[in-house]
Amino acid sequence: MKLSLVFLAIVGLALAAAQVLEPTRQVKYADKSFLEKQKFLLEIVYRIENPLLFEEYIKYAHDFHFDKADYTQYDHPMELFERAHKAGYLLSRGEFFGAMVKSHIYQAWGLFNYFYYAKDFDTFMRVASWARMHVSEGMFVYALHLAVIHRDDFEGLMLPTINEILPHHFFNSKLIIEAKKFDYDMWNKLAMLNKEYSGYLDANDNSKMSTKDWKPWQWWKLLGLSTQWFKMETYPLRKDVTFMNMLKDTHMFYMPTDYTRNIEYYNEHTKLSYFTEDVELNAYWYYANIDYAYFLNSTKYGFAQERRGEYWAYNLQTMLARYQWERLSQELGETPEYSGKDTYEQGYNPHLIGYNGINFGYRQNDFDYKRYSNFGQFSIFMSYYRRVTMELEQGHVTTNNGTLIDLRQPEAIEVMANLLEGNADLFDSRFDTFWRVFSHTYFANADIDAQHLVPHIFVNFETMLRDPFTYSYYKRFYQVISKFSSYLKPYTRKELLLPGVKIDTVEISELATYFDLTDFDVSTLLSDKMMFVDGQFVWDKSLMARQQRLNHQPFTFDYTIESDKPQKVVIRAFLGPKFDQSRRTLSLAENRENFIEIDEFIYQLNAGKNTIQRNSQQLYWTIGDRATYTELYKSVMMAIEGKQQFALNATQPHSGFPNRLLLPQGWEKGFPMQFFFFVAPYTGTNEHFPSYDYTSYTSGIGSGKRYIDDMPLGYPFDRPIEEEVFFVPNMLMKDVKVYHREGLEKFFNLQ
C-alpha cells in the first residue's frame, strides 16, 4: 500500500532526528480496531462549539450512566463531579472554561478521571460522548487531551492540535466570525456573478485593499487581496501530487489573516506580535503545561520519576530567555519585572472571541492593580509568594512530619519548583495547592471560586503568552529559581573536565531567518450542514487561515572532536545573546540564564578525530510542521477503506518547541549571538533517550525516559559560573550572527 506523503515526511524527520546511536525503526501499521478508535477521537472534537451530530455517538451518550462498576477506580474528584452534575452545578456547554480557575479545574479533574479510569474503550466512548453533549467545550477538550496523553492503552492515538480544535483561542475575531458565516453555495453564486460581470464589478469593487501604508505582516495587500475567502487552487502553498490527490474531493478555501494586534491600545510591544501571538508557540505552551498538569499528583498518575518540578522551572527559563532574545532583536531592552506597587505600561487587547461568542477581556495601557477591588485575593497569593522566598532565604523547608529539606542542595530544585508552581506534589499543608491560580483569576478580574466568567487570556495556557504582562509576571517567579541557583556551589574544573577529549572546531552554516506563509486548519469553525452518506460523515470542505510566520533557513553544525579513547558521551549545544540591551558584551557568568539548550544527543566517540554533522531538523525536543486536521482525518478514512495504510509510529510528539522558532528574527546586518558546545561523559544508569519511541504522541510521559541522561536540565548552566575554572578543552564558545532576509517574494508567483 502507498503511504500518504505527510506520514512519510514525518517518519523521515523522526528517523533523522534519532540517527545517533539508534537502529533504524520499522514502521508499524494500524489495524482496524486502532483506526476506529482514532476515527472516534477525530470526530468527537469536530465542530466542538456545535451540537454533536454523529448519531452513533449520540447513542453512546444516551447509554451513559454514573456506574462505579465501569471504572477501575472511583475516587473523590469523580464523586464531586457526579454530585455537581446532579445538583445542576456543572460548567455546562456555552460556559467559558479556565484551566487556571480553581472551581473549573476541580470539575475538569473529575471529568479527566472518568476518562482515565474507564475500564475499556467502549466505556470511554460513552462517557466522552456524554461529556461532549453536556459540559463546557473548553473543559471537555482539556480533560480529553489529558486522557489521550496519560492513558497507557492510548499509545499511538492522537488528537488534532489545540489550535485546530479551538481556533477561537489563536485567531482574531474577524477570521472566526467569517468562518462561522461561510456558506459554500453562496460563495459559489458570488463567484459565478463575479465571473459573469467581472468588468462591471472590478470597476466598482472596493473590497480589494490598497497597498498604501501596508505593513510587513499584511502580505495579502501586496497581492491586491482582501481578508475574504479564496479558493485554494487560486493560490496554493502545497502542490505535491499525493496531497492534492488526497484532497481532490474536498473544497479548500483560505483567508488571509493578521495577528490579533493592539490597535486601540498601541504600544511598542506590538512589534513582537509575530512572536508572542505565533500559533505554534502558544500551542507549545499549552502542551508543556498539560504534560504534568499542576493538579495531578505524580505518584498517583504514574509520572513520579519525571522530575516535574524541574521540568516546569526549565520550561519557564526557556520561555523567558526566548522572549528576551526577541526583545533584543527588536531593540526593546530588558523584560520588565512585574511589581504590585507600580503601574504596568503595556496594555493588551487580544481581539479574540470565545467559543461562547463573548469577546475576551482586555487591559488598558498603564494598568494599575489597584483598579481591582479584590485585595483579599491579591494578598493571599502575595503572602504565599513571600513565604516561598522566605523559606529559600532561610535555606531549608521543614515538612509536616518534621523532615528537614536542605535548599542549598542541587536536587532541591524539585522542591522549590513544586512550591512555586503550586502543584499537587506540594507536600506542605501550609500552602494551598492552587495558590498560584489565585493570581491568574485576580488578574483576569474573577473571583477565586468563580463559576461563570468573561473570557480572559490569563486563565488558559494557550492564550496567556500573547500578553507582555505574562512574561513580566513570570519573570518575578523565575527570580526565585534564579536566587535558588545562586546559592549552589559552582561546578569545579574537575567536574567539568573530560580528560582526553577536546572540541577542535564547530563549523556552523549561515543562520538566516525569514517570514513565510502557512495554512492553519480552521475547518472546525464551519457551521453549515454536515454531509452524511449511509451514516458516514463526508469531510467535503476545509477552511484554512493563511498567516505569515517567522521561520529560519536550514543550518548545520560540523563538529570536529578529538578523543584519546573510545567512549560514550553526551554533546550539548546552547545558544544565547552576546550583548545586553545597551550592546554591552556580557560575560558567561552574567549571561547564562539567557542561554537555551537547543540540542543534546548521545554519541559514541572513537579514538582519534571524530567528525559529526547535525542539522537543524535533528535538534532535540523540537518539532516541525504537523499534518493538518483535514489530512489526518482523510488518512484515517482512506486506511479504513483499504486505500492506504496508516503508520502507527509516524506521529509527532504533541509537545515540543517549534523548530522554526529556534532563532530570533535577527537583523539584516546580523544580530550577534553565541553558541556554547559541551561534551560530557554519559553517566546515566539507563540510556534514557531514545529508548522510548520518540515518534510517540505522548513523548514518553510516564516512562521515566524523557531525558537523555540524569544530569540537571540546562547543565552546566544550572549553577553559577566561575569563569577562571569553568572553561575546559571539552567546551567551545563560538560567535555567530543571525541575519534576516525577505522571504515572501516566492509566494507572489503562486497565483
Side-chain angles (χ1 to χ4, degrees):
M1 292 290 183
K2 187 176 181 181
L3 269 174
S4 68
L5 178 64
V6 63
F7 287 106
L8 284 174
I10 295 173
V11 171
L13 286 176
L15 294 181
Q19 68 182 5
V20 178
L21 288 187
E22 183 180 22
T24 302
R25 182 184 293 112
Q26 280 193 334
V27 178
K28 305 171 188 175
Y29 299 107
D31 59 19
K32 187 79 171 180
S33 173
F34 179 94
L35 291 170
E36 291 295 339
K37 293 176 182 178
Q38 183 61 73
K39 175 176 173 286
F40 172 80
L41 289 175
L42 295 178
E43 290 180 340
I44 200 67
V45 294
Y46 185 63
R47 302 194 186 190
I48 190 69
E49 64 182 312
N50 294 343
L52 183 63
L53 294 178
F54 293 89
E55 290 186 10
E56 180 183 2
Y57 307 149
I58 294 174
K59 292 177 182 177
Y60 284 145
H62 289 162
D63 289 342
F64 170 74
H65 302 284
F66 288 96
D67 187 345
K68 295 182 180 181
D70 288 335
Y71 304 92
T72 58
Q73 184 174 324
Y74 207 88
D75 61 7
H76 185 58
M78 298 168 75
E79 292 174 349
L80 290 179
F81 184 90
E82 182 180 357
R83 287 180 207 163
H85 167 63
K86 291 178 178 178
Y89 194 65
L90 275 185
L91 198 66
S92 60
R93 283 187 60 79
E95 292 287 351
F96 183 76
F97 167 78
M100 298 294 281
V101 177
K102 187 176 179 180
S103 57
H104 291 192
I105 211 62
Y106 271 118
Q107 293 191 13
W109 185 5
L111 181 59
F112 160 66
N113 280 2
Y114 276 99
F115 295 160
Y116 185 73
Y117 292 123
K119 65 181 182 181
D120 52 38
F121 200 82
D122 284 342
T123 303
F124 169 80
M125 285 196 294
R126 287 198 298 274
V127 66
S129 299
W130 175 87
R132 169 68 169 80
M133 296 181 65
H134 292 90
V135 307
S136 164
E137 296 89 330
M139 183 165 76
F140 171 73
V141 170
Y142 186 79
L144 188 64
H145 261 118
L146 281 170
V148 174
I149 290 169
H150 287 279
R151 276 192 67 132
D152 293 338
D153 58 343
F154 277 31
E155 181 67 31
L157 294 171
M158 54 186 157
L159 289 169
T161 58
I162 183 62
N163 52 279
E164 293 175 318
I165 301 174
L166 287 176
H168 317 71
H169 292 183
F170 295 85
F171 298 99
N172 62 42
S173 55
K174 177 176 176 57
L175 175 90
I176 302 299
I177 293 169
E178 291 298 326
K180 290 172 68 64
K181 292 192 305 182
F182 181 81
D183 184 297
Y184 176 68
D185 292 333
M186 183 62 70
W187 188 95
N188 252 344
K189 186 174 181 179
L190 288 174
M192 291 175 64
L193 289 172
N194 281 335
K195 185 176 181 180
E196 185 174 354
Y197 299 105
S198 59
Y200 173 78
L201 291 176
D202 287 345
N204 296 276
D205 184 10
N206 295 316
S207 66
K208 291 190 175 182
M209 304 174 103
S210 170
T211 57
K212 183 180 179 182
D213 299 326
W214 74 281
K215 303 298 182 184
W217 57 84
Q218 295 170 329
W219 54 271
W220 61 88
K221 290 187 178 182
L222 292 181
L223 299 172
L225 302 176
S226 60
T227 49
Q228 65 186 47
W229 295 107
F230 295 93
K231 194 75 171 172
M232 186 66 75
E233 58 253 32
T234 63
Y235 194 179
L237 296 184
R238 294 177 61 179
K239 295 184 178 181
D240 56 88
V241 175
T242 307
F243 171 77
M244 296 177 73
N245 285 340
M246 178 190 294
L247 303 177
K248 64 182 179 181
D249 296 324
T250 306
H251 301 292
M252 305 279 291
F253 298 86
Y254 77 90
M255 176 184 281
T257 184
D258 190 10
Y259 306 111
T260 59
R261 299 173 185 278
N262 295 311
I263 297 173
E264 293 87 351
Y265 303 101
Y266 183 85
N267 52 60
E268 66 178 7
H269 188 268
T270 300
K271 294 179 182 178
L272 294 176
S273 58
Y274 67 89
F275 176 75
T276 56
E277 298 183 3
D278 185 275
V279 170
E280 289 162 327
L281 178 75
N282 283 277
Y284 156 74
W285 195 242
Y286 171 82
Y287 292 118
N289 283 276
I290 207 172
D291 284 354
Y292 311 117
Y294 64 92
F295 57 91
L296 298 182
N297 179 274
S298 62
T299 301
K300 181 176 180 179
Y301 293 98
F303 54 88
Q305 47 190 340
E306 302 287 300
R307 297 151 63 178
R308 63 107 54 94
E310 184 183 1
Y311 176 80
W312 180 81
Y314 180 71
N315 271 295
L316 184 59
Q317 180 269 329
T318 297
M319 186 52 66
L320 291 172
R322 183 61 188 84
Y323 175 68
Q324 179 63 16
W325 293 4
E326 217 61 49
R327 288 185 64 90
L328 292 174
S329 180
Q330 295 293 340
E331 303 191 79
L332 294 180
E334 189 75 20
T335 305
E337 183 179 327
Y338 166 73
S339 169
K341 299 177 182 178
D342 303 319
T343 60
Y344 191 78
E345 182 180 352
Q346 282 81 28
Y348 185 70
N349 187 346
H351 292 251
L352 298 177
I353 186 169
Y355 46 80
N356 57 2
I358 300 175
N359 289 325
F360 275 62
Y362 62 89
R363 184 188 67 257
Q364 295 182 342
N365 286 336
D366 301 312
F367 166 79
D368 185 349
Y369 83 95
K370 295 173 185 174
R371 294 178 186 174
Y372 289 100
S373 58
N374 197 343
F375 296 113
Q377 189 173 330
F378 181 82
S379 298
I380 289 174
F381 75 80
M382 286 304 295
S383 66
Y384 281 130
Y385 178 86
R386 284 191 290 268
R387 192 178 298 174
V388 173
T389 58
M390 287 174 59
E391 294 194 330
L392 174 60
E393 289 173 1
Q394 72 184 17
H396 64 269
V397 174
T398 304
T399 66
N400 289 330
N401 62 10
T403 303
L404 191 74
I405 298 176
D406 186 354
L407 297 181
R408 297 294 182 263
Q409 299 302 315
E411 57 272 16
I413 180 61
E414 191 70 15
V415 174
M416 282 306 306
N418 286 341
L419 287 172
L420 270 180
E421 188 189 12
N423 62 45
D425 288 349
L426 194 64
F427 55 81
D428 199 326
S429 61
R430 291 176 300 159
F431 289 88
D432 190 303
T433 302
F434 300 142
W435 74 268
R436 183 174 56 103
V437 168
F438 299 161
S439 66
H440 282 260
T441 50
Y442 173 79
F443 289 118
N445 199 19
D447 293 329
I448 292 176
D449 295 313
Q451 179 78 353
H452 311 288
L453 71 157
V454 173
H456 199 284
I457 61 171
F458 212 51
V459 295
N460 279 307
F461 298 108
E462 70 271 23
T463 54
M464 64 177 63
L465 290 187
R466 314 173 81 82
D467 189 342
F469 178 76
T470 301
Y471 303 92
S472 296
Y473 181 63
Y474 273 97
K475 183 176 181 179
R476 181 161 185 171
F477 271 77
Y478 186 72
Q479 292 308 315
V480 180
I481 299 295
S482 180
K483 186 74 172 176
F484 166 82
S485 69
S486 72
Y487 287 126
L488 302 179
K489 295 179 180 179
Y491 289 108
T492 65
R493 182 177 180 83
K494 183 179 179 181
E495 289 174 311
L496 297 169
L497 180 66
L498 180 54
V501 173
K502 179 185 178 184
I503 304 178
D504 287 334
T505 62
V506 181
E507 298 299 326
I508 306 165
S509 61
E510 183 183 62
L511 305 176
T513 67
Y514 60 94
F515 285 101
D516 69 2
L517 301 179
T518 193
D519 289 332
F520 293 104
D521 198 331
V522 293
S523 305
T524 194
L525 292 172
L526 283 163
S527 296
D528 63 346
K529 185 177 180 180
M530 293 172 61
M531 180 185 293
F532 289 86
V533 176
D534 296 329
Q536 175 57 54
F537 170 56
V538 178
W539 190 305
D540 62 333
K541 290 181 290 294
S542 287
L543 301 183
M544 301 287 167
R546 184 164 293 182
Q547 194 172 60
Q548 186 178 249
R549 63 178 186 175
L550 184 64
N551 207 336
H552 63 78
Q553 294 176 1
F555 57 89
T556 59
F557 303 110
D558 288 294
Y559 293 84
T560 303
I561 301 174
E562 297 278 354
S563 178
D564 63 350
K565 61 183 179 182
Q567 55 187 309
K568 185 184 292 186
V569 298
V570 177
I571 300 175
R572 291 175 166 87
F574 294 78
L575 180 63
K578 185 175 177 64
F579 302 110
D580 65 9
Q581 67 272 19
S582 302
R583 302 199 182 185
R584 178 178 63 94
T585 302
L586 295 172
S587 68
L588 196 57
E590 298 173 292
N591 204 20
R592 66 180 175 88
E593 291 180 328
N594 289 321
F595 275 75
I596 297 174
E597 184 180 34
I598 66 169
D599 196 18
E600 183 176 344
F601 61 98
I602 300 170
Y603 195 83
Q604 180 65 48
L605 291 177
N606 298 316
K609 182 179 290 187
N610 295 264
T611 302
I612 308 164
Q613 185 175 84
R614 295 279 283 181
N615 66 61
S616 53
Q617 296 301 314
Q618 295 173 288
L619 304 185
Y620 176 58
W621 251 1
T622 68
I623 57 174
D625 291 340
R626 301 176 184 272
T628 65
Y629 196 165
T630 302
E631 290 174 90
L632 281 176
Y633 188 78
K634 294 282 186 179
S635 295
V636 170
M637 294 311 298
M638 290 173 71
I640 289 175
E641 295 164 5
K643 296 177 181 178
Q644 70 170 30
Q645 289 182 300
F646 188 88
L648 276 175
N649 57 344
T651 60
Q652 284 180 302
H654 66 279
S655 61
F657 192 83
N659 184 278
R660 59 182 180 76
L661 292 178
L662 282 170
L663 305 177
Q665 179 178 325
W667 297 340
E668 185 178 351
K669 63 183 179 182
F671 177 66
M673 298 194 80
Q674 293 177 307
F675 272 106
F676 172 82
F677 302 100
F678 180 44
V679 181
Y682 178 78
T683 56
T685 54
N686 158 41
E687 187 172 311
H688 290 196
F689 178 85
S691 55
Y692 74 85
D693 188 352
Y694 184 66
T695 60
S696 164
Y697 181 78
T698 61
S699 305
I701 293 171
S703 66
K705 301 175 182 179
R706 293 195 80 183
Y707 312 117
I708 283 181
D709 60 15
D710 296 325
M711 300 307 291
L713 299 178
Y715 168 76
F717 289 163
D718 59 306
R719 298 192 196 178
I721 291 174
E722 292 182 354
E723 294 196 21
E724 58 272 18
V725 300
F726 183 80
F727 291 102
V728 290
N730 45 300
M731 294 179 181
L732 183 71
M733 291 284 293
K734 181 129 184 171
D735 289 347
V736 293
K737 288 186 176 181
V738 178
Y739 298 91
H740 184 66
R741 315 285 193 210
E742 292 299 329
L744 292 180
E745 292 88 347
K746 64 181 180 179
F747 296 106
F748 300 155
N749 300 319
L750 292 179
Q751 296 187 89

